[in-house]
Amino acid sequence: MFVHTLQVRFRDLDAYNHVNNAVYLTYFEEARIAFITAIGMRGLFSPERSTVLAHAEIDYRAPARLGDRLDIAVSVGEIRNTSYALHYRITRQADGALIATGKTVQVCFNFVLNAPTRLPEAWRALLRDRAQAESHGAIEAR
C-alpha cells in the first residue's frame, strides 16, 4: 500500500483547534498526487488526457491536531471505462489512531474537447498492476 505522510499545519485548524473537515480533501489530494506520481501515471498526463475529481466521500473517526504526523494510505479501487477510484485511510503516527477514511473517483478528462474520455490503456495497466501488488501485500511505499 502506498503511504504519504504529512504533518498537521496551523492553517489546517478550525476554531476548536482540530483539523477542519474541509482540509481532509486537501490531504487526500496531496496523497493522490504523490501516489500517481510514484506509480508513473502523472507523467502521462496531457491536455487531452488528465483527470478531474468527480466524487469524494469522507468518514471522520477522530480529530487530528496541530503537529500530528499523519499517514495517508492510498489504495486502488474500481477501475472503469472512464474513471478509477482511490481509497484512503488516515492514521496518526503517534498512536495509530484511525482519523478518517475516504474515497475519491477520478474521471479521465480531455480539456481540449471539454469532455470525459476513455482511460488510456497505459493508465489502466499502471492502476491494475498496483492493485494486484496491493492485494498480494507486495508494496509498502512512503
Side-chain angles (χ1 to χ4, degrees), residues 70-119:
L70 304 177
D71 286 335
I72 306 168
V74 182
S75 59
V76 177
E78 185 177 12
I79 302 168
R80 303 189 70 182
N81 290 332
T82 61
S83 67
Y84 61 95
L86 295 176
H87 297 271
Y88 307 87
R89 182 177 176 84
I90 301 177
T91 55
R92 184 173 29 244
Q93 280 187 354
D95 59 4
L98 179 60
I99 302 299
T101 58
K103 172 185 170 182
T104 59
V105 176
Q106 294 68 222
V107 171
C108 185
F109 199 81
N110 183 323
F111 284 94
V112 174
L113 299 176
N114 198 34
T117 189
R118 192 165 178 79
L119 279 180

Side-chain angles (χ1 to χ4, degrees), residues 25 28-29 32 51-56 88 103-107:
L25 286 173
F28 288 176
E29 178 183 52
R32 181 171 57 254
T51 59
V52 293
L53 189 69
H55 175 82
Y88 307 87
K103 172 185 170 182
T104 59
V105 176
Q106 294 68 222
V107 171

Side-chain angles (χ1 to χ4, degrees), residues 46-58:
S46 70
E48 291 81 17
R49 289 213 168 84
S50 191
T51 59
V52 293
L53 189 69
H55 175 82
E57 59 188 64
I58 305 168

